[in-house]
Amino acid sequence: MVQEPPGGPPDFAIPELVEVTPDSGSVADSLRDPVVFQFDEVISEASGGGLERLFRLSPRVERLSIDWKRTRIEVRPRRGWQPDRIYHVTMLPGIADLRNNRMEEGRHVVFSTGGPIPDTRIEGDVLDWDNGRVGVGAAVEAVLMPDSLIYEGRADSLGHFRIEALPRGTYVLYAAIDANNNGERDRREAFDSATVTLDSVVERAMWAFLQDTNGPQLAQVNPIDSITARLQFSQKLRLGEPDDTAVRAWLLPDTVAVAVAALWDTPAYDSITAAESAAADSARSAAAADSLAADSTAADSAAAPPDTTTPPIAAPPGAAGQIGDEEAAAPPDSSAALRLLPTRPPLVAVWFLRFVDPAPPGARYLVEVTAANVNGAVATSRAVLVIPEAETEESR
């Protein structure tokens, strides 16, 4: 006979958070006790790979004490609560019971240890300017000056962030692309910063990019044709078309100076090549028209037979291959960050060099370039440009 497994029927119920003490929005003068998260069942101490991963405190402290007490979790700073301060305690999604039933939602608690909680907020959108996309999950820090108290926030899947109930004052605001997902701004992560004064509401767009005190270096130089080369740098470059004097070149091995016709950034080069391509297309079209005119003159003596073909029937609106009314009227994306992206030029790490005279096959050039990165650090670097050998009958 089939029986129920030992220990009763399987438990598929997600744990419920019954109470948080102190309540969010409360004033807890002279608080000494921990913030207590009380659940309706025993919680797994290994939730989320360790409870220390699932709780965050603002202002940030060096060490956060998290104690597991079976059905409750107690949170407090190791050095205790400070007077006259607004605290934010965040429980992230991931709390699980002993059968690994996991909570998909978290809880955010705000309380004061002295004085009312202000109705204030800092919000905005984070753009990953380096990669030309929305800063999904970006780590945001609002640093209250002069005490350097760090209040944390996080951008959502649309790049939007919002930190509420902050003390009034002057903040240094940081937004970083959180590549390692640790919720903090690390040294090698792209970020943006701004100083803001908070009285009630501050809105700010943050354009994150990799900031380096060392200037950009030439990574490689590759030929495009006999007079044009592509210069690839190690970092994104400062916006604006470069000056021709930023580059010098010498023919090797005798280091004979070579005349430079132009130096372009990527947008300028794209514009130049598009114009050159259009001019070439126009010339080809004119030649084709002249050829057709000549053929037509030669055929004037021959009478053309009447056209007996049936004219094509136009497809109705919305037919295959056409945009119907519903598709054409589709609303634009509601993400403010996505709408902001086109308002600034994309960052690029490539310049294009054009010589006055064509390079002979097999030639080698030493190219020297002085360039600045996005935050203004300047560097001069060199690389060798190698022109391919001309093809011969034997090499084909």
Side-chain angles (χ1 to χ4, degrees):
M1 183 176 66
V2 178
Q3 297 180 342
E4 290 290 337
D11 176 15
F12 299 109
I14 296 173
E16 291 188 14
L17 182 62
V18 176
E19 184 182 25
V20 180
T21 307
D23 290 335
S24 187
S26 64
V27 176
D29 292 322
S30 304
L31 181 65
R32 296 183 180 275
D33 296 328
V35 174
V36 177
F37 292 80
Q38 180 67 54
F39 298 88
D40 67 342
E41 60 177 310
V42 177
I43 297 302
S44 170
E45 195 173 4
S47 294
L51 293 176
E52 69 279 358
R53 297 171 177 263
L54 297 180
F55 288 87
R56 302 190 73 88
L57 175 67
S58 291
R60 187 187 297 162
V61 294
E62 290 184 5
R63 301 187 68 186
L64 184 62
S65 174
I66 301 174
D67 295 324
W68 174 75
K69 300 294 179 68
R70 292 180 60 79
T71 61
R72 71 179 189 270
I73 299 171
E74 300 179 351
V75 179
R76 78 175 95 195
R78 288 288 177 92
R79 295 185 179 181
W81 307 105
Q82 302 301 309
D84 299 317
R85 191 164 290 180
I86 296 171
Y87 284 99
H88 294 234
V89 182
T90 302
M91 181 188 78
L92 301 174
I95 293 292
D97 62 17
L98 298 180
R99 293 181 181 267
N100 204 32
N101 298 308
R102 181 178 179 274
M103 295 179 65
E104 299 298 331
E105 297 182 356
R107 176 68 67 87
H108 187 75
V109 179
V110 180
F111 63 91
S112 168
T113 56
I117 297 173
D119 182 16
T120 57
R121 72 177 185 273
I122 299 176
E123 66 177 315
D125 299 282
V126 183
L127 295 308
D128 182 355
W129 199 11
D130 263 341
N131 296 297
R133 60 194 180 199
V134 170
V136 176
V140 181
E141 298 173 349
V143 184
L144 179 61
M145 306 304 290
D147 299 325
S148 296
L149 300 179
I150 302 175
Y151 287 87
E152 298 179 336
R154 202 163 184 88
D156 59 21
S157 60
L158 297 177
H160 188 75
F161 69 91
R162 181 184 179 108
I163 310 175
E164 298 181 302
L166 295 176
R168 293 179 172 88
T170 298
Y171 288 82
V172 179
L173 185 64
Y174 295 94
I177 304 304
D178 192 12
N180 59 5
N181 200 35
N182 68 347
E184 299 179 11
R185 174 174 53 93
D186 295 318
R187 181 174 172 273
R188 293 300 301 170
E189 291 177 337
F191 74 94
D192 189 16
S193 62
T195 300
V196 299
T197 300
L198 177 63
D199 181 55
S200 56
V201 177
V202 169
E203 297 182 3
R204 183 81 185 206
M206 306 295 287
W207 295 79
F209 60 93
L210 190 61
Q211 303 191 29
D212 200 326
T213 56
N214 298 315
Q217 301 286 319
L218 269 177
Q220 55 184 354
V221 183
N222 298 316
I224 295 176
D225 53 40
S226 63
I227 59 172
T228 313
R230 183 180 188 272
L231 282 58
Q232 176 71 50
F233 290 86
S234 60
Q235 303 172 26
K236 297 297 174 67
L237 303 172
R238 183 168 57 191
L239 292 175
E241 194 170 348
D243 190 278
D244 296 352
T245 59
V247 63
R248 295 193 297 170
W250 299 270
L251 181 63
L252 298 175
D254 300 324
T255 61
V256 177
V258 177
V260 172
L263 184 64
W264 299 302
D265 62 3
T266 300
Y269 177 74
D270 290 343
S271 177
I272 290 291
T273 53
E276 292 174 345
S277 178
D281 289 344
S282 178
R284 284 192 294 269
S285 297
D290 291 343
S291 177
L292 286 174
D295 292 344
S296 177
T297 302
D300 278 345
S301 58
D307 186 2
T308 59
T309 59
T310 303
I313 300 174
Q322 296 190 359
I323 300 176
D325 292 341
E326 293 182 2
E327 188 176 352
D333 193 289
S334 59
S335 168
L338 278 177
R339 294 196 298 272
L340 279 171
L341 274 175
T343 65
R344 285 194 182 183
L347 296 179
V348 297
V350 175
W351 281 350
F352 294 88
L353 166 66
R354 180 162 288 180
F355 296 116
V356 171
D357 299 316
R364 297 172 69 248
Y365 294 94
L366 179 63
V367 178
E368 179 184 270
V369 181
T370 299
N373 63 16
V374 186
N375 55 295
V378 180
T380 299
S381 56
R382 292 180 171 185
V384 175
L385 168 65
V386 179
I387 307 300
E389 295 281 357
E391 287 190 351
T392 63
E393 291 295 333
E394 295 180 358
S395 64
R396 291 177 183 171

